[in-house]
C-alpha cells in the first residue's frame, strides 16, 4: 500500500471527531447490475445467453460519491435532480439507507431518473444500457440553485459531480461564490465550465485531461510525464488551485500551483472489467479529507488508498472508514513463495499488466536501493523483487554478511510503496526464477552493462527487455558499513587509517569496485 498507515489512522480519527459536513451537488444515477452465468451463445444473434442469478440497484454517479463520503464518516447532503419514477424512489431509498440527507433532492414530476443498467455474464460486462433523464427546464434549474443555497450553509466542503446530465455551472457557480464552503472539489467532464469557481481541487481522468488540453497524452506510464509537462495549461484552463489527474492502473499525478513537479500516487491495479465508480470513491475521499483541513497531497494519497479498496470489488462499490483502515493495516501479503509468485504474475499478465523483475541482497537498504527501485517500478505495472537468502549472500559477500537476515530484509522491502511482491531465492543467480516467471522487463541497478550479466541472455532469449538504471554514488551497503566501521574505530580511539578500512571493505565486498565506484545492489 502506497499510503502511510499513520496518515490514514489520524485522518479517520479526525473525521470521526469532527464529522464534517460535505455537500455533493451533481448528476444522480441509479446503477443496476444484473448478474448471471453466460452459458451459451444465442441462436437469434451472436450474443451470450445470461442466466440471471442476482439483480442489484445501487447509487451511482454523484449519488455514489455521496454514499462514499458518508461511509468515510462525513455528514452528507445530496443535491441533484431526480424523477418521480420507480428508479427515483429506489435511488432515494438507497441514499437514505446509507445515511445521506436527501431532503435537498429536487424531484421533477413526470421525469425519468437516469439509470445505467449492466448485464454481467460470468466476470464480464456483456452490455450496458443507459436510460437518460430529459433536459431540465429553467424552472428545474432555478429549483436546483435554491436547493444548493440551502444545502451549503455551514458546509465544510462542496463536491460538484458534473457528467453532462443536467447540472449546469451557470446555475451553481454564483451560489457557491456567495457562500463559499471550506473546500470545493470539481469532478466534471467539461472542467472549463467550472473554471470561474476557482476550485481547490479538480479530478480529471486521463481522457478528460486530454480533452481539456486538446492533445493525446500517450499510453501507460508515459502519460505521467505528459501530464507534468502540461501542469500550467491544466491549472490555467480549470482555474483550480490543484488538479489530480487519475491514470487508472498508473495511479495519479497531482499538479499544484507553485510546484513544477508532479506528486504521484500509485494504484493497486485491477481488471478494468471489475472497476466501476472508483473515480467517485476517489473524489469522495479527497473531498472528505479536505473538509477536515488535510493538505492536498495527503488528501489525494488517502483517496488513492480508498479507490484501491473498491477496485478489488465487483460492481459499484463503497469504501468505508473501516475498510480503508483494514486495507492499510492488514498484514502485508507482499512476501510470497515461488508458487504464489508465479500465480500472481500470471494473473497480472492476464490483466494486461507489465511485469518488472529485479534482484539483489538488499542487506542494509539505503537511498541507492530506493532510488533504483522507484525507477524500476516506473518501467511497468508490477515490480517483483527477488532477494538472495542468507546462505547465498554469504557465498557472494563473505562470512560477515548478511548483516540482516532474509526475513528482516524481505520485510523492509515489502514496506516500500514501489515494491509489489518480494520473494527469496537460494541459488547464486535468479536465472531459474526468471525462466519460470519470464518477466517483460529485467532491471539491475548499479555500474553494470547488460553484457556483464548472465541473466541478459536468458531474458533476451524469450523476448524480454534488460534495463540498467542509475546508481547513486556513495550510497551502497559497502559505503554504509564502511562509515559505521570508521565511526566505531574513531570512538574507540583506533589508529587504523580510514583508507585502510575502506580498502578492506572493498576487498571483501563485491559491491565495492576497483576504481572506487559504488554499486547499489
Amino acid at each position: 500500500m502506497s499510503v502511510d498507515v499513520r496518515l490514514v489512522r489520524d485522518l479517520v480519527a479526525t473525521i470521526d471527531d469532527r464529522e464534517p459536513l460535505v455537500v455533493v451537488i451533481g448528476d444522480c444515477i441509479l446503477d443496476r447490475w444484473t448478474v448471471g452465468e453466460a452459458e451459451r451463445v444465442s441462436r437469434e444473434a451472436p450474443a451470450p445467453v445470461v442466466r440471471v442469478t442476482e439483480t442489484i440497484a445501487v447509487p451511482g454517479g454523484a449519488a455514489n460519491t455521496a454514499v462514499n463520503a458518508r461511509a468515510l464518516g462525513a455528514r452528507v447532503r445530496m443535491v441533484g435532480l431526480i424523477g418521480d419514477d420507480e428508479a427515483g424512489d429506489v435511488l432515494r431509498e438507497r441514499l437514505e439507507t446509507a445515511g445521506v440527507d436527501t431532503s435537498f433532492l429536487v424531484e421533477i414530476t413526470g421525469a425519468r431518473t437516469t439509470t445505467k443498467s449492466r448485464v454481467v455474464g460470468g466476470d464480464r460486462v456483456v452490455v450496458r444500457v443507459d436510460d437518460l433523464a430529459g433536459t431540465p427546464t429553467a424552472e428545474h434549474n432555478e429549483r436546483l440553485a435554491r436547493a444548493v443555497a440551502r444545502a451549503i450553509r455551514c458546509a465544510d466542503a462542496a463536491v460538484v459531480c458534473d457528467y453532462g446530465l443536467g447540472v449546469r455551472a451557470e446555475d451553481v457557480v454564483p451560489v457557491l461564490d456567495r457562500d463559499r464552503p471550506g473546500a470545493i472539489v470539481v469532478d466534471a467532464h467539461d472542467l472549463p465550465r467550472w473554471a470561474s469557481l476557482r476550485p481547490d481541487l479538480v479530478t480529471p481522468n486521463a481522457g478528460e485531461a486530454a480533452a481539456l488540453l486538446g492533445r493525446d497524452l500517450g499510453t501507460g506510464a508515459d502519460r505521467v510525464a505528459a501530464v507534468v509537462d502540461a501542469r500550467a495549461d491544466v491549472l490555467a484552463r480549470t482555474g483550480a488551485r490543484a488538479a489530480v489527474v487519475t491514470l487508472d492502473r498508473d495511479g495519479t499525478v497531482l499538479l499544484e500551483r507553485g510546484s513544477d513537479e508532479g506528486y504521484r500516487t500509485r494504484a493497486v491495479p485491477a481488471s478494468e472489467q471489475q472497476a466501476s465508480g472508483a473515480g467517485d470513491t476517489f473524489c469522495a475521499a479527497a473531498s472528505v479529507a479536505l473538509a477536515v483541513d488535510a493538505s492536498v497531497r495527503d488528501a489525494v494519497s488517502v483517496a488513492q488508498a480508498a479507490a484501491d479498496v473498491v477496485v478489488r470489488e465487483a460492481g459499484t462499490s463503497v469504501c468505508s472508514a473501516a475498510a480503508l483502515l483494514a486495507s492499510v493495516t492488514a498484514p502485508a501479503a507482499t512476501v510470497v513463495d515461488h508458487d504464489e509468485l508465479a500465480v500472481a504474475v500470471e494473473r497480472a499478465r492476464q490483466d494486461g499488466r507489465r511485469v518488472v523483475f529485479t534482484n539483489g541482497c538488499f542487506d542494509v537498504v539505503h537511498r541507492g536501493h530506493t532510488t533504483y527501485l522507484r525507477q524500476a517500478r516506473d518501467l511497468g505495472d508490477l515490480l517483483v523483487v527477488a532477494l538472495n537468502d542468507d546462505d547465498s549472500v554469504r557465498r557472494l559477500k563473505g562470512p560477515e554478511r548478511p548483516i540482516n537476515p532474509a526475513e528482516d530484509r524481505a520485510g523492509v522491502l515489502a514496506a516500500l510503496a514501489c515494491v509489489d511482491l518480494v520473494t527469496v531465492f537460494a541459488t547464486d543467480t535468479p536465472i531459474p526464477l526468471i525462466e519460470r516467471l519470464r518477466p517483460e522487463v529485467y532491471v539491475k541497478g548499479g555500474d553494470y552493462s547488460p553484457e556483464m550479466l548472465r541473466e541478459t541472455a536468458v531474458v533476451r532469449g524469450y523476448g524480454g527487455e534488460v534495463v540498467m538504471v542509475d546508481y547513486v554514488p556513495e550510497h551502497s551497503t559497502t559505503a554504509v558499513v564502511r562509515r559505521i566501521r570508521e565511526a566505531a574505530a574513531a570512538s574507540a580511539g583506533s589508529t587504523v587509517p580510514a583508507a585502510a578500512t575502506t580498502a578492506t571493505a572493498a576487498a571483501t565486498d563485491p559491491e565495492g569496485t576497483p576504481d572506487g565506484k559504488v554499486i547499489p545492489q
Side-chain angles (χ1 to χ4, degrees):
M1 177 61 63
S2 60
V3 66
D4 181 71
V5 174
R6 182 177 297 178
L7 168 63
V8 174
R9 284 175 171 163
D10 289 349
L11 188 60
V12 169
T14 301
I15 294 167
D16 186 55
D17 287 341
R18 292 177 53 177
E19 292 187 294
L21 174 59
V22 176
V23 178
V24 179
I25 306 159
D27 297 319
C28 297
I29 300 170
L30 182 67
D31 278 353
R32 294 190 190 273
W33 294 82
T34 300
V35 182
E37 295 298 325
E39 298 176 329
R40 58 189 175 87
V41 176
S42 171
R43 289 177 294 180
E44 292 92 348
V49 176
V50 177
R51 179 171 54 83
V52 176
T53 58
E54 186 178 21
T55 299
I56 305 166
V58 294
N64 186 35
T65 300
V67 170
N68 272 275
R70 178 68 189 118
L72 289 167
R75 293 174 293 132
V76 180
R77 295 172 179 170
M78 179 75 244
V79 185
L81 302 171
I82 63 170
D84 62 350
D85 55 349
E86 183 266 345
D89 292 341
V90 172
L91 180 55
R92 186 188 291 274
E93 185 272 330
R94 296 291 192 272
L95 285 168
E96 291 174 351
T97 299
V100 174
D101 183 350
T102 64
S103 60
F104 300 93
L105 285 174
V106 176
E107 186 174 285
I108 302 175
T109 303
R112 293 194 307 274
T113 301
T114 295
T115 303
K116 296 185 178 181
S117 302
R118 299 167 179 87
V119 177
V120 181
D123 61 352
R124 186 178 299 274
V125 175
V126 176
V127 65
R128 192 181 94 179
V129 179
D130 291 356
D131 186 9
L132 304 181
T135 303
T137 66
E139 178 196 351
H140 302 147
N141 294 328
E142 289 175 5
R143 290 175 59 193
L144 180 69
R146 290 196 297 270
V148 171
R150 295 195 310 273
I152 63 172
R153 292 170 185 165
C154 303
D156 297 291
V159 191
V160 175
C161 302
D162 172 19
Y163 313 123
L165 299 176
V167 172
R168 303 193 315 166
E170 52 265 43
D171 301 315
V172 176
V173 169
V175 179
L176 292 177
D177 273 340
R178 284 197 303 269
D179 190 9
R180 191 178 181 93
I184 294 179
V185 178
V186 175
D187 178 20
H189 289 341
D190 186 2
L191 283 167
R193 294 177 56 197
W194 299 90
S196 63
L197 186 57
R198 305 178 312 283
D200 295 285
L201 180 67
V202 294
T203 62
N205 60 30
E208 290 162 348
L212 176 71
L213 296 168
R215 60 179 181 269
D216 184 47
L217 298 179
T219 59
D222 292 342
R223 297 175 296 176
V224 174
V227 167
V228 173
D229 289 344
R231 180 189 67 85
D233 284 346
V234 170
L235 295 177
R237 297 182 188 189
T238 61
R241 180 169 62 90
V244 57
V245 181
T246 57
L247 303 173
D248 45 78
R249 67 182 61 198
D250 292 310
T252 73
V253 183
L254 174 65
L255 309 174
E256 302 169 273
R257 293 187 182 273
S259 174
D260 292 334
E261 297 183 356
Y263 175 75
R264 291 228 27 213
T265 70
R266 299 186 184 279
V268 176
S271 169
E272 296 296 331
Q273 296 164 3
Q274 295 178 358
S276 178
D280 302 330
T281 302
F282 184 98
C283 182
S287 302
V288 173
L290 292 175
V292 294
D293 303 317
S295 71
V296 69
R297 292 193 174 191
D298 286 349
V300 300
S301 294
V302 172
Q304 179 68 73
D308 287 344
V309 171
V310 300
V311 296
R312 301 171 197 155
E313 306 294 331
T316 307
S317 300
V318 173
C319 176
S320 66
L324 179 60
L325 280 172
S327 73
V328 299
T329 59
T334 306
V335 182
V336 295
D337 62 28
H338 292 187
D339 289 339
E340 293 170 322
L341 177 59
V343 171
V345 166
E346 180 57 28
R347 185 183 304 119
R349 192 166 283 128
Q350 290 175 354
D351 288 342
R353 298 165 66 188
R354 182 176 166 92
V355 178
V356 182
F357 181 101
T358 191
N359 65 280
C361 299
F362 299 96
D363 194 2
V364 178
V365 175
H366 48 72
R367 181 183 170 194
H369 291 132
T370 57
T371 297
Y372 109 73
L373 288 173
R374 284 197 299 269
Q375 292 174 349
R377 180 61 172 78
D378 286 340
L379 296 172
D381 305 305
L382 183 83
L383 176 59
V384 176
V385 179
L387 187 67
N388 290 81
D389 74 356
D390 294 346
D391 287 340
S392 66
V393 173
R394 278 188 283 271
R395 290 195 299 271
L396 288 168
K397 299 184 177 297
E400 294 183 353
R401 303 281 293 275
I403 294 171
N404 295 302
E407 181 179 359
D408 290 349
R409 291 182 283 130
V412 170
L413 289 173
L416 297 178
C418 56
V419 175
D420 295 299
L421 294 169
V422 179
T423 197
V424 178
F425 67 98
T427 52
D428 288 341
T429 76
I431 288 176
L433 191 55
I434 290 173
E435 290 176 331
R436 180 175 183 181
L437 300 178
R438 299 168 71 89
E440 282 75 17
V441 185
Y442 176 65
V443 178
K444 284 298 288 185
D447 196 17
Y448 289 105
S449 68
E451 290 70 29
M452 295 169 62
L453 303 171
R454 292 168 56 187
E455 296 87 349
T456 295
V458 176
V459 175
R460 289 178 174 171
Y462 63 74
E465 179 182 1
V466 178
V467 177
M468 303 291 108
V469 296
D470 298 334
Y471 72 95
V472 181
E474 289 304 313
H475 285 86
S476 74
T477 302
T478 300
V480 173
V481 172
R482 184 188 68 222
R483 288 194 295 271
I484 292 171
R485 287 173 175 167
E486 289 173 347
S491 64
S494 172
T495 59
V496 178
T501 306
T502 302
T504 301
T508 58
D509 193 329
E511 289 175 354
T513 60
D515 63 0
K517 292 181 179 179
V518 179
I519 302 173
Q521 62 167 294

